[in-house]
């Protein structure tokens, strides 16, 4: 949690893989299209302007999901996610993103047959998969399709694909262009790859862009507000359950001792529930 100790990077320290910068660089449809064509091996006919960190929150659930880059082709929807830090349960995360994308596509009451091809693309700086012994599998890419256990020739034909790229294993990637891009993601060195150099140049340009700097500052304020509210919620729960001392709650949540004591006063002042 550690809300009080959360310190976002200063703009001049940002790289392509950082939250905020990744979305801003891919804000241009042409840049998105080239990334998708390189990593997914599909042609993009027409790109609707990417909706950065699109929030999909269907009315019947409380937990929405913010997508890094969500774009649509004439017959495809593509979610591109950057994971610059190791994440738990990436498979379930991809499953949830897929469900939200599908819900978004059918919110207007369309028939299931109207669902377009759907791609969930994760670009990870670290290997997202490991075995039961915590040993990384070490592949540069992991591709997942729904197949029939009894007969591999049976095609579910649900038009979905999930791909995870592991930039840390870029040296094992056979495709030269993908290997160059993954190396850039892993090391921030664009090398001689033209596309990676264009991404690097855009990053440097955005660091001096006033509009981006304002948006980045606003995003960080929003993120800190979210973390602060999550920390307060956790502290209230611990106080209600009489788990830990105020000092221990401070260590766990990152709130100040004054904040924890104020929350305790608020809870103590609330009337006891009727028997």
């Amino acid at each position: 949690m550690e809300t009080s100790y959360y310190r976002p990077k200063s703009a001049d320290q940002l790289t392509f893989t950082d939250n905020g910068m990744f979305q801003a660089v891919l804000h241009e449809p042409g840049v998105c299209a080239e990334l998708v064509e390189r990593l997914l091996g599909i042609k993009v006919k027409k790109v609707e302007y990417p909706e950065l960190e699109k929030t999909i929150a269907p009315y019947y659930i409380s937990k929405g999901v913010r997508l890094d880059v969500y774009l649509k082709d004439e017959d495809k929807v593509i979610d591109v996610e950057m994971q610059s830090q190791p994440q738990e349960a990436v498979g379930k995360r991809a499953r949830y993103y897929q469900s939200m994308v599908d819900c978004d596509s059918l919110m207007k009451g369309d028939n299931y047959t109207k669902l377009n091809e759907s791609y969930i693309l994760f670009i990870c700086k670290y290997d997202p998969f490991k075995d039961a012994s915590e040993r990384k599998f070490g592949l540069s890419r992991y591709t997942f399709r729904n197949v029939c256990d009894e007969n591999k020739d049976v095609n579910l034909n649900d038009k979905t694909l999930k791909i995870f790229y592991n930039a840390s294993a870029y040296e094992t990637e056979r495709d030269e262009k993908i290997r160059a891009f993954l190396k850039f993601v892993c090391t921030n060195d664009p090398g001689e790859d033209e596309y990676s150099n264009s991404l690097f140049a855009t990053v440097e340009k955005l660091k001096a862009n006033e509009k981006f700097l304002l948006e980045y500052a606003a995003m960080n304020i929003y993120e800190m507000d979210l973390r602060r509210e999550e920390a307060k919620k956790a502290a209230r729960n611990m106080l209600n359950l009489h788990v830990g001392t105020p000092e221990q709650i401070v260590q766990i949540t990152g709130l100040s001792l004054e904040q924890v004591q104020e929350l305790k006063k608020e809870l103590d002042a609330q009337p006891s529930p009727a028997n």
Side-chain angles (χ1 to χ4, degrees):
M1 189 78 63
E2 297 189 356
T3 304
S4 298
Y5 307 114
Y6 173 67
R7 293 292 182 271
K9 282 185 177 181
S10 61
D12 62 334
Q13 295 177 314
L14 294 175
T15 66
F16 172 67
T17 62
D18 285 312
N19 190 30
M21 182 60 77
F22 176 73
Q23 295 92 330
V25 172
L26 294 188
H27 192 69
E28 293 297 328
V31 176
C32 271
E34 185 166 351
L35 181 73
V36 167
E37 290 178 358
R38 181 176 290 214
L39 297 185
L40 294 181
I42 59 175
K43 286 295 181 182
V44 178
K45 302 173 186 176
K46 175 185 176 182
V47 175
E48 290 188 17
Y49 204 78
E51 300 174 53
L52 301 188
E53 286 201 338
K54 177 185 176 74
T55 300
I56 300 176
Y59 66 91
Y60 51 84
I61 62 172
S62 58
K63 181 174 175 61
V65 57
R66 287 190 305 161
L67 305 181
D68 281 349
V69 178
Y70 181 55
L71 59 119
K72 298 181 180 181
D73 188 6
E74 292 179 349
D75 56 356
K76 306 176 187 70
V77 290
I78 304 162
D79 170 33
V80 185
E81 298 293 325
M82 173 61 71
Q83 298 289 315
S84 58
Q85 298 295 330
Q87 300 287 342
E88 295 182 356
V90 291
K92 290 183 178 179
R93 182 184 294 264
R95 169 184 168 185
Y96 187 66
Y97 285 9
Q98 177 69 68
S99 68
M100 292 299 97
V101 168
D102 288 343
C103 286
D104 181 59
S105 297
L106 293 181
M107 284 299 286
K108 295 181 180 179
D110 290 334
N111 188 277
Y112 296 116
T113 59
K114 299 293 184 180
L115 282 172
N116 290 329
E117 291 182 57
S118 174
Y119 297 82
I120 307 296
L121 171 61
F122 275 71
I123 304 167
C124 307
K125 289 188 70 172
Y126 303 91
D127 197 331
F129 297 105
K130 55 189 175 183
D131 62 20
S133 301
E134 299 293 313
R135 183 175 56 187
K136 303 292 186 180
F137 286 102
L139 299 180
S140 62
R141 70 172 104 177
Y142 302 86
T143 304
F144 297 92
R145 295 182 175 87
N146 290 322
V147 298
C148 177
D149 286 344
E150 290 75 19
N151 186 337
K152 298 299 187 292
D153 293 329
V154 178
N155 189 347
L156 185 61
N157 201 31
D158 62 350
K159 302 295 184 181
T160 65
L161 183 71
K162 301 177 184 68
I163 294 184
F164 297 78
Y165 276 98
N166 168 25
S168 67
Y170 69 86
E171 293 180 328
T172 67
E173 174 57 45
R174 295 182 179 181
D175 186 287
E176 182 179 353
K177 289 186 176 182
I178 296 177
R179 183 170 64 250
F181 173 74
L182 293 181
K183 180 181 179 181
F184 171 54
V185 169
C186 184
T187 66
N188 198 40
D189 178 7
E192 298 181 1
D193 180 58
E194 182 178 350
Y195 181 63
S196 297
N197 271 281
S198 70
L199 296 176
F200 184 84
T202 302
V203 169
E204 295 305 306
K205 184 178 179 181
L206 283 169
K207 289 179 182 180
N209 183 284
E210 184 176 353
K211 181 175 182 292
F212 168 74
L213 295 177
L214 289 172
E215 291 176 348
Y216 180 64
M219 181 196 74
N220 285 327
I221 292 172
Y222 175 70
E223 291 292 339
M224 286 188 285
D225 285 344
L226 284 180
R227 289 169 181 257
R228 188 178 300 109
E229 289 308 310
E230 289 174 359
K232 287 182 178 180
K233 180 179 180 181
R236 287 191 188 96
N237 288 337
M238 294 180 72
L239 290 168
N240 275 325
L241 296 172
H242 305 288
V243 176
T245 65
E247 290 76 14
Q248 290 171 326
I249 295 174
V250 166
Q251 291 296 318
I252 292 172
T253 64
L255 295 173
S256 68
L257 181 58
E258 292 75 14
Q259 287 174 311
V260 174
Q261 291 173 335
E262 184 63 30
L263 289 173
K264 187 176 187 306
K265 287 181 181 179
E266 292 176 6
L267 293 173
D268 291 342
Q270 291 179 1
S272 301
N275 293 330

